[in-house]
Amino acid sequence: MASQLKDVFSPAFLQQLATLCQRYSATFDTNRFLAQTQGSDWEQSELKARVRRVSHALDSSLNLAYPDAIQVLLPVSGHFSGLQGFVFADYVEVYGLDDPHTSFHALAHFTCFSTAEFAIRPFFQRYPELTLAQMTLWASSDNLHLRRLASEGSRPRLPWGMALKAYKKDPAPLLPILHQLKTDAEPYVQRSVANHLNDISKDHPELVLDIAQSWFGQHAITDWIIKHALRGLLKQAHPRALALYGLQQLPLQLSLEMVNAQASAQQPLHFMIELSGPADLQAKLRLEYKIGYRKKSGQLNYKVFQLSNKVWTGQTMKFERRQSFIDLTTRKHYPGQHHLQIMLNGHCYAESFFDVIVS
């Protein structure tokens, strides 16, 4: 991550940003801007800290009233995308809360080159009705980036973003936006709507299941959104989610062979599965495996991995999987006994324990 940040917010990027700002504002203080975005503390900063520091440096180097600063940043932002483009929406988040109309106009522009999903969230807190009305308008826009912002920016549990506590408690005001976008032709928007519903399902599973049942079968796009939205509930084997897809306990036999009973960073867990049963059975199969990872406290924390989504054809099916135990930024492995479960349509058909060795 550190090397990636150095590439994204490199000296070349900072110099280009300063040069463009000076092009559109003759009074822009390039020396001040570069001085404020250098130093050992800059090298140690993470992504969000760097973005915020660039926002502060832009403000002091522009030395303009907020609406005038936005007029400079609007043309400059079109030269940057992705993570580099975060700085423009962040500038709005830091300095634009007192001027929502100018800020909405700016965010509508900035999101087309990067994203404004994080910057819009403080406006929900200060101006809930005004911001919701704006998001509703964007949901009907011809611009796919604005439609995506309408969904993504209002997600109650957006990763990296400020939680919208009022909508975690009562997501009902957001549902018209999702309804508007449920057949959107753009995958970029579809994924956001599905993730938004998945957010809601963590606090209001029955509400999302009600929505899924009312939408199911109306449109191929909507069906994809529903399935992606219900992924959390399907992994939890929620009965209503399983029933929606006709997933039930089946008269099949499942054998599990543990190729090795110990795993480590050097040796992945290796197991094989064989599924057999009646030749005349017609049924949908959702095959998963759950690993109970041992935490530092000694308790097990389960994570579900998908193996296959198929239809039973009466033929014996075989599966093989190797699961890595190399430490990740999102998961550290601890030594001791771990638990493997093989899940078919939400039911455990086989299980085994194995040891993890940490050198």
Side-chain angles (χ1 to χ4, degrees):
M1 176 61 78
S3 61
Q4 181 187 16
L5 287 175
K6 289 179 181 178
D7 292 337
V8 171
F9 293 97
S10 64
F13 158 73
L14 297 169
Q15 182 63 62
Q16 183 186 10
L17 178 55
T19 300
L20 287 166
C21 286
Q22 194 169 48
R23 178 189 299 177
Y24 294 100
S25 175
T27 61
F28 183 81
D29 191 335
T30 297
N31 291 332
R32 173 180 288 185
F33 176 79
L34 294 177
Q36 292 180 350
T37 53
Q38 294 178 0
S40 59
D41 54 340
W42 171 265
E43 292 298 322
Q44 300 301 319
S45 298
E46 294 295 332
L47 172 62
K48 294 182 74 173
R50 290 193 182 196
V51 170
R52 185 55 51 88
R53 188 160 162 179
V54 172
S55 295
H56 291 320
L58 283 172
D59 185 64
S60 62
S61 303
L62 284 166
N63 195 25
L64 295 171
Y66 175 70
D68 297 326
I70 289 297
Q71 290 307 307
V72 174
L73 297 178
L74 285 172
V76 171
S77 66
H79 295 268
F80 302 96
S81 62
L83 293 176
Q84 291 180 344
F86 278 24
V87 299
F88 303 101
D90 189 73
Y91 184 88
V92 172
E93 180 179 348
V94 176
Y95 297 105
L97 273 175
D98 292 332
D99 188 351
H101 296 290
T102 299
S103 295
F104 290 161
H105 173 72
L107 292 177
H109 179 83
F110 296 152
T111 202
C112 295
F113 304 97
S114 179
T115 183
E117 66 204 59
F118 307 111
I120 194 66
R121 301 173 81 78
F123 291 88
F124 268 112
Q125 286 198 326
R126 186 176 293 191
Y127 314 101
E129 294 182 1
L130 180 67
T131 306
L132 184 61
Q134 182 62 66
M135 300 292 260
T136 303
L137 288 174
W138 284 338
S140 300
S141 172
D142 292 335
N143 187 309
L144 71 95
H145 298 282
L146 293 183
R147 299 198 306 276
R148 191 257 185 183
L149 177 59
S151 170
E152 196 72 6
S154 59
R155 284 177 58 182
R157 290 172 168 265
L158 180 67
W160 281 21
M162 174 192 303
L164 299 180
K165 295 180 180 179
Y167 295 134
K168 285 177 63 177
K169 183 177 181 180
D170 179 17
L174 302 172
L175 300 185
I177 291 175
L178 303 183
H179 186 83
Q180 172 70 30
L181 300 172
K182 70 178 182 177
T183 57
D184 197 285
E186 294 291 340
Y188 190 45
V189 180
Q190 296 165 18
R191 285 192 296 272
S192 178
V193 175
N195 289 334
H196 192 139
L197 286 168
N198 184 53
D199 276 6
I200 295 175
S201 75
K202 294 174 183 177
D203 299 298
H204 305 276
E206 298 302 325
L207 171 62
V208 172
L209 287 162
D210 288 343
I211 293 170
Q213 286 187 317
S214 66
W215 287 4
F216 189 72
Q218 295 183 9
H219 196 286
I221 288 174
T222 309
D223 285 350
W224 182 90
I225 288 173
I226 291 169
K227 189 166 187 180
H228 196 56
L230 295 182
R231 63 189 185 276
L233 295 178
L234 285 167
K235 286 182 177 181
Q236 295 168 24
H238 192 291
R240 287 184 63 190
L242 294 172
L244 185 66
Y245 293 100
L247 299 172
Q248 56 189 326
Q249 193 161 11
L250 299 172
L252 298 177
Q253 291 76 50
L254 190 151
S255 62
L256 168 64
E257 178 185 349
M258 302 291 288
V259 179
N260 58 308
Q262 288 187 338
S264 67
Q266 293 74 38
Q267 182 181 28
L269 177 68
H270 185 190
F271 60 92
M272 295 188 290
I273 299 166
E274 183 172 292
L275 195 60
S276 59
D280 59 348
L281 177 68
Q282 294 184 343
K284 296 178 181 179
L285 307 179
R286 179 183 174 89
L287 190 62
E288 302 164 309
Y289 63 99
K290 292 172 63 174
I291 292 184
Y293 288 96
R294 188 159 298 279
K295 298 166 63 176
K296 188 175 182 179
S297 65
Q299 295 181 326
L300 295 182
N301 181 45
Y302 285 86
K303 182 170 177 59
V304 180
F305 302 89
Q306 188 165 313
L307 266 174
S308 179
N309 269 304
K310 293 191 174 185
V311 175
W312 175 251
T313 62
Q315 303 294 319
T316 297
M317 295 181 175
K318 296 182 179 181
F319 304 89
E320 185 174 4
R321 181 57 58 95
R322 289 175 173 84
Q323 182 73 22
S324 173
F325 279 82
I326 297 173
D327 283 349
L328 307 171
T329 55
T330 54
R331 185 187 307 123
K332 180 177 173 61
H333 297 99
Y334 294 95
Q337 192 178 67
H338 288 51
H339 189 201
L340 172 67
Q341 292 180 302
I342 309 302
M343 311 296 293
L344 178 60
N345 291 0
H347 300 275
C348 181
Y349 275 63
E351 62 182 329
S352 182
F353 290 91
F354 63 96
D355 293 319
V356 171
I357 300 172
V358 178
S359 56

